[in-house]
């Protein structure tokens, strides 16, 4: 209807022009959309009245027949609607002036604009099949192996489930090709399922979307790119034209901004027709009978050639045709949406491609302005020192404190937004089977949060689901472990290298060997010796291997003392050699173990890096579950880390913990049997407060913490810039010092040197390591002194009895001998016999003196005898 009015209005306008030599009579016919037969009939009828051009029809179904008739009668045919198919009737298009952009060129333009938007993955929603023609260049140019694009058809009237599916897939970029009614409907439903807003982008291909200004204003936060033929530079003229329309045709409801494309094209078509009339020399209009192949308009082709040469600027931008009457040269306007409606941001034309009239920065500036009025929902989690409870009963942000809170506060000061913290449990990890996220990442994907901040590591997986700012902290995975503590060595540390059983078995073995030697030597003839070697025919043979001598031999061998007497028989020698060999092995093992146990005691443990952890089983190790450190091991290709991951996975009870705090407590509790794989920044924080804990080894990787936000967030550039500014101004390191050192006893381990284990101390051996052996030495010596006193007193008594002197006299005399330290000799018979006694008696006294001496003396005696 509106098209008819505009058509008629424009014809009237032309008729009123002063220099206009013709009177143009509009003949408007209406035909049902699907009735092509009737359309053909009407077209035939009107030609018989004499006709200069046919405009329309405005639908594809009837266009073919009218186009064919026009071709046959040589009457120019202005077409103002989208024509997906070329005509089936060969050459028919040759009398057509196609005002609507050429489908192929339009497809090229659509693809060129998409390229500048740098979308890698997106979903295409189209309504009618002919949209595929507009999309063909996108399909042709998309590198399928790089990124997946999804194509879905819009059917029915309820698109919610489809939109929900798209939402769940994480897709935030949509190319929409549907009519304007469907666009309105779809956006209404999209708003219900959270598929509108600042994190969602739409690229709408319908050239009439600009007419939806009013409807789309409520989605002005959504990123929307639309294309239109209506030239904004034609603004004043357009306004003027539309003003005229509305005064002359009050029922027309269009405004200068919302002229539908078809209306504009009809207006421009009449204008082209008028320009052609002016350009043509003289045209004779005549009646033609609709009899194909017989009757034609004589000047028709000439007029058509003139029309094709018309160049003008119309409501639909610059107009120019190729030799087939196609509008291949057109300019597309690119617009986005702002609070004031659609705003031109660039143009596309075949010669220059896309040209932005508003820079990317200017577009972003719009978001910066929006940022100022926005209250960000910030998701975080409780974890020292990033976010901690300050006052649980307070309201809002007052409940929390911590590094994350301060950081967001600093950023908000720079940019000027408000924020509201809320907490979740987990960091965020991807379930590879269900492809779903949990924790903070899920909050962002569900649009419940605008920002997520804590010790949230930037990882590849997360980066593909959400956007991150510049890292505000760098770190790497390392090992938190108990410090090696110098435990007080056991008092009898020298016993430690061998177990009590071994000591007992050794004592038994010693006695057993001594007894064996005793038996063997008694049986072995060579060990029965002539007591007086000068006597070749001794009446008696002597065997020196008493039980005590046998024990002495065994002891001397194992203590490495050697022995002054050795057996002579081969069997007894074999026994002694084997015992010597046994002694050699046992003593070497003892020394080796003693060295090791003393060293171990000092160093505490043998874990110095991840490889050490991997190759042992005594110390268990784990990570925070469902977080980046666990994922690092899970996804690593390095064999050591793979081994560590399978060890961690199979460990029972589980070695995974809920958070860093639990991990730290477990390291303390398990006293050197549990190591916690933790991020270096967290280790730094913990070891400054728990002096018993330390970082072992270096960092296994290098990464950073970032502030996460939904993909495509328009605020990312601003917030990233703010992080960078804070870093450059030193604010980030001030905050770090505040929370790592100044708050919550961060200098505890620096200030209290007694908490420090000095490495040098750990390497020195103290008296405590040798305490036991000193005691043994002192006890042994004391015992020996006790024995010698007993022997001495026993000797005094014997002397007193034998020489019939008083014990006191004997004691005095023996003490005198004993303490005349420079006197090296002692009379063999110091006491004169108290009464006459035979030599025989004297000998017996001397013999008894000798008999009463200790085994040492007796051995000496034996040696003397042997020497003799
Ligand atoms: N920062 C880690 C994350 O973002 C959590 C701690 C860890 O895995 O060690 O998942």
């Amino acid at each position: 209807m509106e098209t008819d009015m505009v058509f008629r209005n424009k014809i009237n306008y032309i008729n009123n022009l002063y220099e206009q030599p013709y009177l143009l009579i509009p003949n408007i016919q209406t035909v049902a959309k699907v009735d092509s037969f009737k359309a053909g009939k009407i077209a035939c009828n009107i030609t018989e009245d004499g006709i200069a051009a046919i405009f329309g029809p405005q639908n594809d179904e009837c266009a073919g027949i009218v186009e064919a008739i026009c071709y046959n009668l040589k009457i120019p045919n202005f077409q103002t609607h989208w024509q997906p198919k070329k005509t089936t009737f060969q050459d028919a298009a040759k009398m057509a002036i196609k005002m609507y952009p050429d489908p192929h060129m339009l497809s090229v333009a659509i693809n060129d604009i998409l390229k500048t938007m740098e979308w890698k993955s997106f979903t295409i929603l189209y309504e009618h099949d002919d949209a595929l023609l507009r999309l063909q260049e996108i399909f042709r140019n998309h590198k399928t192996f790089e990124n997946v694009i999804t194509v879905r058809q819009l059917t029915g009237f309820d698109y919610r489930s489809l939109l929900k599916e798209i939402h769940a897939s994480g897709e935030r970029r949509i190319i929409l090709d549907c009519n304007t009614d469907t666009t309105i409907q779809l956006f209404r439903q999209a708003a219900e399922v959270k598929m509108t807003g600042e994190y969602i982008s739409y690229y709408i291909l319908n050239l009439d979307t600009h007419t939806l200004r009013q409807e789309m204003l409520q989605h002005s936060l959504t990123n929307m790119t639309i294309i239109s033929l209506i030239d904004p530079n034609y603004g004043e003229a357009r306004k003027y034209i539309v003003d005229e329309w509305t005064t002359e045709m009050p029922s027309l409801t269009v405004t200068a901004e919302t002229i539908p494309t078809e209306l504009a094209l009809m207006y421009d078509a009449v204008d082209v027709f008028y320009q052609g009339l002016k350009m043509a020399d003289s045209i004779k209009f005549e009646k033609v009978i609709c009899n194909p192949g017989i009757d034609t308009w004589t000047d028709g082709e000439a007029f058509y050639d003139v029309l094709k040469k018309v160049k003008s600027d119309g409501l639909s931008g610059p107009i120019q045709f190729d030799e087939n009457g196609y509008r291949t040269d057109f300019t597309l306007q690119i617009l986005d949406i702002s609070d004031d409606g659609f705003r031109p941001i660039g143009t596309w034309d075949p010669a220059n491609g896309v040209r932005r009239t508003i820079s990317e920065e200017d577009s972003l500036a719009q978001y910066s302005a929006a940022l100022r009025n926005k209250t960000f929902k910030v998701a975080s989690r409780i974890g020292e020192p990033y976010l901690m409870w300050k006052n649980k009963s307070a309201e809002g942000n007052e409940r929390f404190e911590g590094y994350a809170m301060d950081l967001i506060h600093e950023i908000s000061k720079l940019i000027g937004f408000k924020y509201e913290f809320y907490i979740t449990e987990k960091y965020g990890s991807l379930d590879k089977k269900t492809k779903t996220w949990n924790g903070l990442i899920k909050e962002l994907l569900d649009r419940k949060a605008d920002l997520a901040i804590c010790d949230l590591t930037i990882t590849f997986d997360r980066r593909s689901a959400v956007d991150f700012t510049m890292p505000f902290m760098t770190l790497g995975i390392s090992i938190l472990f108990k410090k090696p503590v110098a435990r007080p060595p056991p008092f009898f540390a020298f016993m430690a290298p061998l177990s009590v059983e071994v000591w007992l078995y050794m004592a038994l073995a010693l006695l057993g060997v001594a007894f064996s030697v005793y038996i063997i030597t008694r049986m072995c003839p060579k060990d029965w010796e002539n007591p007086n070697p000068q006597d070749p025919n001794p009446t008696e043979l002597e065997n020196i291997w008493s039980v005590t001598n046998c024990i002495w031999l065994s002891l001397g061998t194992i203590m490495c003392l050697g022995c002054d007497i050795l057996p002579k028989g081969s069997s007894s020698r074999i026994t002694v050699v084997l015992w010597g060999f046994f002694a050699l092995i046992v003593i070497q093992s003892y020394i080796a173990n003693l060295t090791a146990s003393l060293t171990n005691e000092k160093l505490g443990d043998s874990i110095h890096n991840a490889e050490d952890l991997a190759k042992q089983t005594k110390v268990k190790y784990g990570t925070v579950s469902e977080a980046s450190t666990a994922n690092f091991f899970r996804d690593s290709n390095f064999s050591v880390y793979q081994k560590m991951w399978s060890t961690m996975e199979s460990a029972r009870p589980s070695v995974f913990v809920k958070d860093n705090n639990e991990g730290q407590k477990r390291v303390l509790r398990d006293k050197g049997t549990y190591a916690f794989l933790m991020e270096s920044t967290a280790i730094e924080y913990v070891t400054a407060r728990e002096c018993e804990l330390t970082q072992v080894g270096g960092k296994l990787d290098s990464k950073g913490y970032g502030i996460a936000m939904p993909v495509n967030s328009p605020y990312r550039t601003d917030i990233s810039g703010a992080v960078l500014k804070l870093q450059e101004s030193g604010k980030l390191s001030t905050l770090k010092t505040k929370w790592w050192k100044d708050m919550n006893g961060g200098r505890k381990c620096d200030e209290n040197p007694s908490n420090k284990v000095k490495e040098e101390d750990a390497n020195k051996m103290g008296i405590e390591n040798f305490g036991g052996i000193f005691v043994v030495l002192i006890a042994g010596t004391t015992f020996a002194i006790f024995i010698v006193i007993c022997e001495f007193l026993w000797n005094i008594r014997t002397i007193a009895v034998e020489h019939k002197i008083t014990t006191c006299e004997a004691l005095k005399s023996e003490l005198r001998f004993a303490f005349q330290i420079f006197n090296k000799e002692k009379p063999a018979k110091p006491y004169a016999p108290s009464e006459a006694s035979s030599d025989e008696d004297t000998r017996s006294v001397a013999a008894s003196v000798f008999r009463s001496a200790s085994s040492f003396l007796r051995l000496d005696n034996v040696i003397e005898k042997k020497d003799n």
Side-chain angles (χ1 to χ4, degrees):
M1 260 315 271
E2 289 182 337
T3 325
D4 298 353
M5 287 157 76
V6 166
F7 176 73
R8 207 186 295 272
N9 183 273
K10 180 74 179 172
I11 299 273
N12 288 342
Y13 173 80
I14 294 169
N15 282 335
N16 290 336
L17 289 177
Y18 176 69
E19 76 273 27
Q20 160 60 10
Y22 305 97
L23 176 67
L24 305 179
I25 303 168
N27 182 355
I28 298 170
Q29 300 287 331
T30 311
V31 62
K33 204 176 174 193
V34 287
D35 200 349
S36 59
F37 176 72
K38 192 158 177 217
K41 230 169 143 200
I42 291 174
C44 271
N45 288 342
I46 55 174
T47 57
E48 288 169 17
D49 301 337
I51 196 157
I54 292 182
F55 294 81
Q58 260 117 358
N59 66 69
D60 202 31
E61 286 82 357
C62 304
I65 181 90
V66 175
E67 191 181 279
I69 289 169
C70 287
Y71 172 68
N72 279 317
L73 306 180
K74 305 295 175 226
I75 298 170
N77 176 210
F78 286 89
Q79 296 172 0
T80 55
H81 66 285
W82 156 253
Q83 258 191 311
K85 304 184 278 293
K86 303 252 162 146
T87 177
T88 44
F89 182 65
Q90 210 193 352
D91 290 339
K94 283 204 172 156
M95 287 308 286
I97 297 287
K98 300 199 180 247
M99 298 300 295
Y100 203 96
D102 171 51
H104 172 69
M105 289 311 290
L106 188 58
S107 172
V108 170
I110 287 169
N111 186 49
D112 284 355
I113 296 167
L114 179 68
K115 276 198 262 175
T116 63
M117 300 197 309
E118 296 180 1
W119 288 9
K120 293 207 169 64
S121 69
F122 46 86
T123 295
I124 297 174
L125 297 180
Y126 73 96
E127 191 174 22
H128 301 296
D129 291 344
D130 59 273
L132 298 173
L133 218 71
R134 280 185 287 268
L135 297 165
Q136 61 179 333
E137 281 301 308
I138 296 181
F139 296 138
R140 208 198 314 268
N141 285 282
H142 185 72
K143 296 190 187 78
T144 37
F145 36 82
E146 254 181 27
N147 288 297
V148 180
I149 61 171
T150 315
V151 185
R152 311 287 299 261
Q153 188 163 19
L154 294 167
T155 50
F157 300 102
D158 191 350
Y159 314 116
R160 287 183 192 86
S161 57
L162 175 63
L163 290 165
K164 271 189 202 158
E165 259 180 58
I166 297 172
H167 187 276
S169 73
E171 185 62 80
R172 301 294 175 255
R173 289 168 169 156
I174 291 164
I175 297 180
L176 184 64
D177 190 312
C178 58
N179 67 40
T180 46
D181 289 343
T182 310
T183 307
I184 297 170
Q185 179 85 343
L186 186 125
F187 267 87
R188 207 173 283 147
Q189 297 176 5
E192 288 172 30
V193 296
K194 298 207 173 90
M195 277 298 286
T196 54
E198 60 258 69
Y199 307 120
I200 316 277
S201 303
Y202 286 89
Y203 175 25
I204 307 174
L205 307 188
N206 188 326
L207 293 184
D208 272 332
T209 313
H210 66 276
T211 62
L212 306 178
R213 180 180 181 273
Q214 209 53 44
E215 291 84 350
M216 288 309 204
L217 265 184
Q218 51 189 300
H219 308 294
S220 64
L221 263 186
T222 311
N223 298 309
M224 223 182 274
T225 305
I226 69 163
I227 48 176
S228 169
L229 274 177
I230 309 300
D231 187 353
N233 300 324
Y234 207 63
E236 275 310 302
R238 191 169 65 209
K239 211 163 176 317
Y240 177 75
I241 292 165
V242 174
D243 281 351
E244 290 230 318
W245 286 352
T246 42
T247 40
E248 286 167 28
M249 305 174 279
S251 57
L252 201 67
T253 54
V254 296
T255 65
E257 282 79 35
T258 60
I259 302 174
T261 307
E262 198 148 39
L263 211 70
L265 290 179
M266 184 56 84
Y267 178 89
D268 288 346
V270 180
D271 194 57
V272 168
F273 172 77
Y274 169 61
Q275 303 292 337
L277 276 185
K278 279 204 298 185
M279 282 163 64
D281 287 341
S282 67
I283 303 169
K284 211 167 127 264
F285 294 99
E286 57 194 29
K287 297 180 181 181
V288 279
I289 307 299
C290 192
N291 194 354
I294 297 173
D295 200 3
T296 55
W297 176 22
T298 328
D299 285 351
E301 277 188 304
F303 184 43
Y304 176 63
D305 286 341
V306 173
L307 287 175
K308 283 191 294 185
K309 290 194 186 102
V310 172
K311 282 185 191 168
S312 77
D313 267 329
L315 286 178
S316 62
I319 298 166
Q320 194 173 342
F321 304 98
D322 66 5
E323 69 277 12
N324 295 319
Y326 283 97
R327 191 174 173 186
T328 44
D329 195 4
F330 59 93
T331 302
L332 269 188
Q333 306 302 321
I334 309 167
L335 304 100
D336 69 5
I337 195 157
S338 68
D339 289 341
D340 305 327
F342 291 108
R343 182 179 65 145
I345 54 167
T347 58
W348 177 93
D349 63 72
N352 301 301
V354 177
R355 282 192 299 190
R356 283 189 77 95
T357 47
I358 288 197
S359 66
E360 201 76 56
E361 293 79 58
D362 289 347
S363 300
L364 284 171
Q366 171 196 336
Y367 287 104
S368 303
L371 215 69
R372 256 156 236 135
N373 304 321
K374 199 172 155 69
T375 300
F376 279 114
K377 278 174 267 134
V378 185
S380 188
R381 58 184 297 288
I382 297 290
E384 280 181 52
Y386 302 95
L387 196 73
M388 297 167 282
W389 288 110
K390 186 164 95 184
N391 181 1
K392 274 193 182 176
S393 52
E395 289 280 302
N397 293 341
E398 281 308 302
R399 288 171 296 165
F400 310 111
E401 63 175 2
Y403 178 90
M405 192 100 194
D406 284 3
L407 180 57
I408 290 290
H409 182 69
E410 291 299 330
I411 295 173
S412 79
K413 275 204 298 196
L414 285 178
I415 302 177
F417 59 83
K418 299 183 203 73
Y419 57 91
E420 202 178 295
F421 267 77
Y422 75 95
I423 52 167
T424 55
E425 273 273 300
K426 296 187 173 173
Y427 289 94
S429 110
L430 175 69
D431 183 331
K432 298 235 165 173
K433 276 192 211 125
T434 59
K435 298 247 179 306
T436 51
W437 285 92
N438 62 15
L440 294 170
I441 306 293
K442 186 170 189 307
E443 296 297 303
L444 294 174
L445 290 176
D446 292 349
R447 302 285 174 274
K448 288 188 187 144
D450 297 297
L451 299 176
I453 183 170
C454 65
D455 48 336
L456 189 67
T457 311
I458 304 171
T459 64
F460 178 76
D461 275 350
R462 287 175 181 168
R463 179 62 195 82
S464 53
V466 296
D467 273 350
F468 280 95
T469 57
M470 296 275 307
F472 58 82
M473 212 179 264
T474 49
L475 59 129
I477 299 172
S478 194
I479 303 167
L480 180 74
F481 201 37
K482 193 116 179 14
K483 264 184 192 163
V485 194
R487 287 186 296 272
F491 198 65
F492 289 102
F494 69 93
M495 300 275 289
L498 303 180
S499 67
V500 178
E501 286 102 311
V502 176
W503 282 115
L504 285 177
Y505 282 123
M506 269 175 52
L508 272 179
L510 186 131
L511 291 176
V513 168
F515 185 67
S516 309
V517 172
Y518 178 70
I519 301 289
I520 291 167
T521 46
R522 293 215 62 90
M523 289 166 68
C524 181
K526 277 206 172 163
D527 286 317
W528 289 95
E529 289 175 86
N530 180 358
N532 185 2
Q534 269 108 42
D535 180 1
N537 299 313
T539 49
E540 280 179 349
L541 291 176
E542 191 186 35
N543 189 326
I544 58 167
W545 294 103
S546 62
V547 171
T548 45
N549 274 358
C550 289
I551 292 175
W552 173 242
L553 172 69
S554 303
L555 264 176
T557 310
I558 202 152
M559 300 301 284
C560 302
L561 290 172
C563 188
D564 39 11
I565 51 168
L566 286 167
K568 298 242 168 68
S570 19
S571 49
S572 46
R573 276 181 175 170
I574 287 170
T575 317
V576 173
V577 164
L578 285 179
W579 176 244
F581 184 60
F582 172 85
L584 176 79
I585 300 296
V586 168
I587 284 165
Q588 292 305 327
S589 311
Y590 172 84
I591 291 170
N593 264 7
L594 181 69
T595 317
S597 80
L598 289 174
T599 320
N600 270 354
E601 219 166 70
K602 294 299 165 189
L603 291 183
D605 303 285
S606 51
I607 306 293
H608 301 112
N609 49 39
E611 279 81 5
D612 289 345
L613 273 182
K615 65 186 177 212
Q616 54 81 52
T617 52
K618 212 177 125 207
V619 179
K620 302 269 177 276
Y621 44 90
T623 65
V624 173
S625 62
E626 296 183 62
S628 65
T629 304
N631 293 350
F632 168 82
F633 286 96
R634 185 192 65 193
D635 302 335
S636 175
N637 291 328
F638 183 41
S639 60
V640 175
Y641 301 154
Q642 278 175 349
K643 188 177 166 203
M644 287 173 80
W645 176 245
S646 47
T647 313
M648 285 191 259
E649 262 199 317
S650 55
R652 295 291 174 275
S654 171
V655 288
F656 296 106
V657 292
K658 191 173 88 246
D659 54 23
N660 283 337
N661 194 24
E662 194 180 313
Q664 162 204 335
K665 282 188 185 145
R666 189 155 167 187
V667 176
L668 279 171
R669 187 195 69 197
D670 288 3
K671 298 198 170 73
T673 59
Y674 182 79
F676 186 52
L677 293 152
M678 199 185 201
E679 286 165 335
S680 53
T681 39
I683 295 185
E684 198 186 320
Y685 182 81
V686 168
T687 51
R689 287 156 184 83
E690 289 291 350
C691 312
E692 286 175 53
L693 298 182
T694 188
Q695 173 176 334
V696 172
K699 296 179 195 163
L700 310 189
D701 62 351
S702 170
K703 49 201 178 189
Y705 294 146
I707 303 173
M709 57 193 80
V711 174
N712 225 0
S713 173
Y715 313 119
R716 186 177 145 205
T717 317
D718 277 315
I719 298 178
S720 251
V723 171
L724 208 60
K725 265 191 210 152
L726 291 175
Q727 189 174 18
E728 280 168 12
S729 66
K731 191 75 203 171
L732 285 188
S733 57
T734 314
L735 281 185
K736 177 135 192 249
T737 313
K738 173 180 169 191
W739 289 103
W740 264 252
K741 288 279 163 207
D742 303 340
M743 304 285 281
N744 305 335
R747 301 191 193 273
K748 181 176 158 200
C749 299
D750 302 350
E751 281 160 7
N752 190 351
S754 64
N755 288 319
K756 282 190 168 181
V757 174
K758 287 188 197 138
E759 278 292 319
E760 4 23 305
D761 284 356
N763 291 329
K764 278 184 206 153
M765 286 192 186
I767 185 70
E768 59 277 16
N769 293 87
F770 300 100
I773 198 73
F774 271 105
V775 169
V776 171
L777 183 68
I778 292 163
T781 315
T782 315
F783 182 66
I785 291 169
F786 172 72
I787 295 289
V788 84
I789 291 171
C790 292
E791 279 179 338
F792 185 75
L793 293 178
W794 184 254
N795 189 31
I796 301 291
R797 187 194 154 270
T798 314
I799 291 171
V801 170
E802 294 211 347
H803 295 280
K804 297 198 175 59
I805 56 175
T806 63
T807 314
C808 207
E809 278 171 347
L811 179 67
K812 259 194 225 157
S813 147
E814 283 303 307
L815 278 177
R816 200 173 53 241
F817 283 129
F819 291 105
Q820 277 179 352
I821 51 172
F822 296 109
N823 202 349
K824 291 202 180 108
E825 281 152 16
K826 179 182 172 185
K829 295 170 188 166
Y831 308 104
S834 52
E835 52 193 62
S837 59
S838 65
D839 277 1
E840 200 68 37
D841 293 342
T842 318
R843 252 197 319 268
S844 77
V845 172
S848 71
V849 169
F850 281 120
R851 237 177 281 128
S852 65
S854 70
S855 60
F856 293 89
L857 294 173
R858 265 190 273 152
L859 284 172
D860 288 344
N861 187 17
V862 170
I863 293 160
E864 264 170 32
K865 275 186 189 166
K866 274 178 16 194
D867 290 349
N868 293 341

